[in-house]
Amino acid sequence: MTDSGAPYRGQSEPSTHRGEAGTRQKAAGRLSDFRRSFLVLAPIALWVIDVAGLATTAPWLRTINYGVLGLYLLAAIPGARRTNLLLGGAMAVVATVLLIGEAPLSATRQGLDFAVLFGAFLLVLQLVRATVETMPKATTTRALFETMTESERRVAIISSTHLLGGVLSLGSAAVVRPLLPASNNPHLRREQALATIRGMCTSIYWSPFTVGIAFIFYLFPNLPPWQVFGLGACIAALAIVISILGEGGRAGLAALAATVRAFRPVLLPLVSVALAVVVVTAVSGLSTLQATILVMPLFALLQLLLSESTRAERVWRLTVDRVGRSGDDLVVFTAAVVLSGVIVASPEVTQAAGTILPASLPLPAIILVMMVVGLALSLLGLNAMLCATVLLALVSGTNGVVPDLVMALILLYAWSCSSSLSLASLGVLTVAQLYGVAPQSLIWTRNLVFLGGFGVILAVLLYGLALLIRL
């Protein structure tokens, strides 16, 4: 009996193990599904709470917000990219070390409040992006690009990705790339990729729908939005004009006009809603980010009400899919805003920065050094948020010599450099994939020469702006 029973028991053990493994897999699958669902529901909850917070200042709303944010970050961490985890972890460690020193714990509160608001902003950003992408005339015909010379085509790429990048960000490259004629020439594809990056990454100066602008208004909440957007638009226009003249001369201006006409059906509603955000900010006293999360969903709702139901379904699917993957960005952003608040309040950082970049230096030298450092950090592979945080630490020792508006524009220049030149930039990696070129081939190029030369011009202009502010 014993002998005859042994094989039976031996045979039952593998099936038992398989059953246990299957149970564990089902449990893990249910947990993964719950995590993905929460990554969608959390930003929706943050948006609802933040909108409710515009009408009341009940302290329990902040407590709920912090709780949702904490759970959101915990759910996002398992799916975050390794580089983002390392970056966020490093910034958290630095912030902890400074807090153990003389930096006050209260310095983290403003950063956490802004991270909560940014979580809602990510939801709105993806909703608007999906709404614009599904506009009936968002993807114009290939005829615009097919009838152009190569230099005119690069001008059209720069201008179209710039205009669309103000809202779509990386999505602008995905919209424009399929419109280009197919090419087996790797050099040609590389030149088009460089034009895409230049157009897309200069929109940071004026667009209210980017992470960079959100970060700027966190650092300088008292800056009037019209000043940042107005001067930013002028800087972006100068960058685009220089690029266009460099690529195509007078023919480039004709290509620019043709591109604007082709994308006009998309641009008009976007300009209108951007102006609405500025007006609401000025009239209501809300911050730019608060006005954005309030006004932009109304724009999307109006667009969808005037469209067929299939478009609304597509917008919903795109938004849910992208919001479910946005937690990765929030991990790094939360660490960065908390660290920046701690840096500003840390006496040790201010003292150390004062020895590296003393306030006794002439203002033009301080401005130029900041811009050179921003460009150099980009080439070293730092991402945009970390570049801005390092520059913030560096300028903390100058005792406010650099006006806030000038400093904000310097940070936007550094953000543009990092987005264009850093191998950690999602823009560089995405464009390289779209055009089938190596990311490394997009770094030491004409874009570096352009950003360096433009940085010198911008440094002179910002010094003049600083002098006007001091009058």
Side-chain angles (χ1 to χ4, degrees), residues 23-104:
T23 302
R24 287 195 297 269
Q25 289 177 354
K26 289 180 180 179
R30 286 194 295 268
L31 182 61
S32 178
D33 291 341
F34 174 77
R35 187 181 70 84
R36 284 195 295 267
S37 299
F38 188 79
L39 288 174
V40 175
L41 294 175
I44 295 176
L46 290 175
W47 182 84
V48 171
I49 297 169
D50 287 337
V51 171
L54 300 179
T56 177
T57 56
W60 55 270
L61 279 178
R62 172 176 282 172
T63 303
I64 295 176
N65 254 340
Y66 284 171
V68 174
L69 175 65
L71 293 174
Y72 190 6
L73 294 174
L74 287 175
I77 286 174
R81 296 188 297 274
R82 181 179 298 179
T83 53
N84 279 358
L85 289 177
L86 292 173
L87 183 59
M91 288 190 286
V93 169
V94 173
T96 301
V97 170
L98 294 176
L99 289 170
I100 293 174
E102 299 182 21

Side-chain angles (χ1 to χ4, degrees), residues 2 71 100 104 176 228 239 390 444:
T2 303
L71 293 174
I100 293 174
V176 172
V228 178
V390 171
W444 298 89

